[in-house]
Amino acid sequence: VQLQASGGGSVQPGGSLRLSCAASGSVFSIKTIGWYRQAPGKERELVATITSDSTTVADSVKGRFTISRDNAKNTWHLQMNSLKPEDTAVYYCNAALRISFFSQLTAYWGQGTLVTVSS
């Protein structure tokens, strides 16, 4: 299984970007998907996640970022609006999934995509 993140780049404050993550390979079912980020010198932090029955969004991005999921395509997105310099980080997609009916739930990470917000 591989998670491929895309959509990062450089944008001015107030701008928007849309990140995408696609899961490929032997994916039987995906329970949880999400986005995390890691700024230089800081620990990785949760940005937003979707489980089977709830959506969690970090307070720091609430009202500006929206997470969405396309179950049919095993893809998910992070729409980021009103970006601020403090949103600058490497963004990682994450999924907890099963590769077969009998397999355990396992966490996978994408390779990270850099988002830079600067004037």
Side-chain angles (χ1 to χ4, degrees):
V1 173
Q2 286 189 328
L3 303 188
Q4 182 69 43
S6 61
S10 296
V11 65
Q12 292 186 339
S16 298
L17 283 173
R18 186 176 188 245
L19 305 184
S20 297
C21 188
S24 62
S26 180
V27 178
F28 176 75
S29 66
I30 301 177
K31 180 176 183 180
T32 303
I33 59 94
W35 291 95
Y36 292 73
R37 68 186 182 185
Q38 187 166 19
K42 295 187 177 181
E43 294 185 351
R44 190 173 298 188
E45 63 176 1
L46 180 149
V47 177
T49 63
I50 298 179
T51 67
S52 56
D53 57 4
S54 66
T55 299
T56 300
V57 181
D59 288 342
S60 59
V61 304
K62 199 167 290 183
R64 301 187 296 120
F65 290 12
T66 302
I67 187 172
S68 62
R69 177 177 182 175
D70 185 338
N71 291 330
K73 297 182 179 179
N74 286 340
T75 59
W76 52 102
H77 310 281
L78 185 69
Q79 178 65 44
M80 305 185 294
N81 299 327
S82 302
L83 282 160
K84 304 176 180 180
E86 51 263 42
D87 295 319
T88 296
V90 177
Y91 285 71
Y92 297 90
C93 60
N94 164 270
L97 59 87
R98 288 185 171 85
I99 62 172
S100 72
F101 180 82
F102 300 102
S103 69
Q104 291 184 336
L105 201 62
T106 303
Y108 290 84
W109 291 89
Q111 83 284 8
T113 184
L114 178 63
V115 172
T116 303
V117 185
S118 174
S119 56

